[in-house]
Amino acid sequence: MAADNHLTLKQIAEQQASTEQQLRLMVQVALQQAADAGADQSEIWCYNTIGNSIEVRQGELETLEFNQDSHFGINVYFGQRKGTVSINDLTETAVHKGVQAACEIAAFTEPDPFAGLVDKALMAAEFKDLQLDHPNDLTIPQMVESAKDCEAVALKDARIKQSEGVSSYNHRSVSLYANSHGFIGANHTTRFSLSTSVIAETDNGMIRDGYYTIGRDVADLLSPDNVGELAAERVINKLKQGKIPSGNYPVIFNAELARGLWSHMLSALKGAALYQRASFLLDKKDQLILPEFVQIEEDPFLLKGFGSGNYDSDGVATRRRDIVVDGVLKDYFLSGYSARRLGLKTTGNAGGIHNILIKPMDISLQDMMKQLGSGLLLTEVMGQGVNTVTGNYSRGASGFWFENGEIQFFAQELTIAGNLETMLKNIVAISNDVDDRSSILTGSVAIEGMMVAS
């Protein structure tokens, strides 16, 4: 599709209005078809996502794509026998055959005593405007121009030798969930992003870094100049390099990496990990798992949030919850199914965790480094050495060595190791540099000590 005849998100939204009406009709017909076939219960998820993506490299448009993705998922329950079918063809004929196939599959599955819909009384009844949908008139030529500006700024410094390109995308999604309780809910969401990566040369070879901005509303994104400046700054900061002797040191996960640290903890609190007894936080509810200054909240109603929603993928109404209070674990993340397996109640987390807010302290990253004195500010971790069953943690890493609170040099080819349960308890500070580019909102996290090997 040429740059001058693409669809803007406003035009896509107009197109999706009729698509949504078709989906609503197909959902109702499919639910009735399942009931007519003898299903006791049934549920359907479907979505349609449309958008544009571009890539600019060396000042030229290199890639232009128009993306469209659709999905229709069907679950039917005959007693405790479940049949599941997923299709990508959103035609009436395909959906009819999909329901028929799901019903046939159910006849051959083993009964699952925990299968079925969540109680009707738990279905969402209030649908707040969470400001997740911001279609606009942004054109491909405008996206290309912004990407070129971003790259030009990123390449201003002569020490930066090469651009790995600038990527930009926007898309809009319409999703529906409906079940035989008579519940039907619809979500409309947009997402925009701009990212770049650049390469500089050192005595030890080439080094790269980049930056990105992302949001529900393009007006909330950083300017192309800002993204380019930050990408350049990050790679230039790495040019002075050094070596760290192996030892046990204070370690700071910068805000971007801290999201990953918290996600390991959150994964260990999900229902599936708990009923499979595959979690290092098993049976820790109402126990101290973090220092007493740590407060963690789940907020599904955060405006423009990446994890916001009025209901989960069971149709259950979401709610604000305290997850950790004064370091004490207060609740898990359960779907209807995992809650039944555990003999507990759903927490409205079928389909995933909503926005997680890690309360920061009134301290900057710079002041946090000063308080720690010397240590390692991590900027990258790599590898799969995280075991959420045992909590064992060992990963490749790189970052900045600091002394007396001041950055000294960048260090690569490191390994950091510890145990997640101990690491969480050894958190000594959470700074106020909160990164909002995710559904986990956290500042940088300082841990008293970890093994660092070079």
Side-chain angles (χ1 to χ4, degrees):
M1 180 173 288
D4 58 354
N5 65 358
H6 76 291
L7 296 175
T8 68
L9 284 199
K10 274 194 175 178
Q11 292 168 324
I12 287 170
E14 293 170 3
Q15 176 180 307
Q16 285 180 318
S18 60
T19 301
E20 181 179 345
Q21 292 305 312
Q22 293 171 352
L23 288 175
R24 284 180 178 271
L25 180 60
M26 284 193 285
V27 162
Q28 297 293 344
V29 170
L31 291 172
Q32 186 59 52
Q33 181 188 342
D36 291 344
D40 301 297
Q41 296 179 330
S42 56
E43 58 185 339
I44 291 170
W45 303 265
C46 56
Y47 66 80
N48 174 251
T49 299
I50 304 177
N52 305 294
S53 61
I54 65 154
E55 184 169 347
V56 165
R57 190 188 299 268
Q58 301 301 328
E60 299 294 333
L61 175 62
E62 188 169 84
T63 305
L64 167 60
E65 294 182 351
F66 175 76
N67 315 111
Q68 183 163 215
D69 184 29
S70 298
H71 175 81
F72 202 96
I74 305 158
N75 280 349
V76 296
Y77 301 92
F78 288 76
Q80 293 174 327
R81 296 178 185 272
K82 177 183 175 183
T84 299
V85 166
S86 295
I87 58 176
N88 298 109
D89 181 0
L90 300 190
T91 61
E92 291 183 19
T93 300
V95 170
H96 178 82
K97 289 181 178 179
V99 175
Q100 189 175 35
C103 293
E104 292 170 355
I105 290 169
F108 294 96
T109 60
E110 290 295 319
D112 183 343
F114 307 106
L117 302 183
V118 177
D119 290 346
K120 184 176 182 178
L122 297 177
M123 298 294 103
E126 183 180 358
F127 300 94
K128 302 175 182 179
D129 178 8
L130 301 176
Q131 298 182 22
L132 308 180
D133 189 27
H134 298 272
N136 61 13
D137 291 317
L138 186 67
T139 65
I140 291 291
Q142 288 171 328
M143 292 172 67
V144 171
E145 193 63 31
S146 292
K148 288 180 178 180
D149 289 346
C150 179
E151 184 179 57
V153 170
L155 291 172
K156 275 184 177 181
D157 194 299
R159 291 171 290 180
I160 297 176
K161 304 300 183 183
Q162 187 178 338
S163 165
E164 291 198 311
V166 180
S167 298
S168 179
Y169 77 76
N170 59 43
H171 68 233
R172 184 176 189 266
S173 294
V174 173
S175 62
L176 278 77
Y177 170 76
N179 61 38
S180 52
H181 286 327
F183 175 86
I184 185 165
N187 276 321
H188 309 99
T189 61
T190 50
R191 187 175 291 210
F192 303 83
S193 83
L194 178 70
S195 63
T196 188
S197 178
V198 289
I199 297 174
E201 188 174 357
T202 73
D203 294 338
N204 299 319
M206 310 300 273
I207 194 161
R208 63 170 48 81
D209 210 327
Y211 201 75
Y212 71 93
T213 181
I214 187 169
R216 295 289 188 190
D217 186 346
V218 73
D220 295 331
L221 268 58
L222 294 179
S223 73
D225 285 4
N226 284 155
V227 175
E229 288 165 358
L230 288 166
E233 178 183 319
R234 283 164 67 111
V235 77
I236 288 168
N237 287 341
K238 292 181 174 181
L239 294 180
K240 183 181 179 182
Q241 299 194 19
K243 296 288 186 180
I244 301 172
S246 297
N248 190 289
Y249 303 112
V251 168
I252 299 174
F253 287 73
N254 75 0
E256 195 169 338
L257 292 189
R259 297 197 302 257
L261 179 65
W262 293 118
S263 72
H264 299 315
M265 183 196 81
L266 298 171
S267 294
L269 297 174
K270 290 181 178 179
L274 297 173
Y275 72 68
Q276 292 170 4
R277 304 194 69 77
S279 167
F280 74 95
L281 292 175
L282 196 65
D283 301 323
K284 296 292 186 181
K285 190 173 181 181
D286 296 321
Q287 294 185 30
L288 195 72
I289 66 167
L290 288 154
E292 292 183 0
F293 67 83
V294 179
Q295 319 291 333
I296 302 177
E297 178 188 6
E298 183 184 40
D299 184 0
F301 307 127
L302 191 66
L303 298 183
K304 299 184 179 180
F306 294 115
S308 296
N310 289 296
Y311 55 89
D312 71 356
S313 58
D314 283 337
V316 173
T318 54
R319 57 188 174 87
R320 289 187 181 89
R321 296 188 300 138
D322 290 325
I323 305 302
V324 171
V325 176
D326 299 334
V328 175
L329 176 62
K330 291 298 183 181
D331 215 346
Y332 300 127
F333 299 94
L334 309 178
S335 65
Y337 181 83
S338 62
R340 290 191 193 105
R341 292 285 301 255
L342 293 164
L344 300 171
K345 294 181 180 179
T346 175
T347 59
N349 290 106
I353 295 174
H354 307 293
N355 303 302
I356 296 295
L357 282 60
I358 315 292
K359 187 176 180 180
M361 302 168 67
D362 186 18
I363 184 173
S364 68
L365 173 60
Q366 186 67 41
D367 287 340
M368 191 161 72
M369 288 193 293
K370 287 179 181 177
Q371 287 189 10
L372 290 173
S374 299
L376 178 64
L377 171 62
L378 291 172
T379 59
E380 184 178 5
V381 292
M382 60 211 80
Q384 305 300 316
V386 183
N387 188 325
T388 54
V389 179
T390 64
N392 290 337
Y393 187 101
S394 178
R395 305 185 75 182
S398 58
F400 294 96
W401 179 253
F402 60 90
E403 294 178 2
N404 300 317
E406 297 294 331
I407 297 291
Q408 300 300 306
F409 55 79
F410 181 70
Q412 298 188 82
E413 298 178 353
L414 305 172
T415 299
I416 57 170
N419 181 275
L420 285 167
E421 188 170 359
T422 303
M423 289 162 63
L424 293 175
K425 288 182 177 177
N426 286 348
I427 291 173
V428 292
I430 302 171
S431 59
N432 57 15
D433 57 335
V434 176
D435 188 344
D436 62 0
R437 297 173 298 167
S438 164
S439 59
I440 300 176
L441 281 73
T442 178
S444 300
V445 173
I447 295 176
E448 189 173 34
M450 289 186 69
M451 284 303 302
V452 179
S454 59

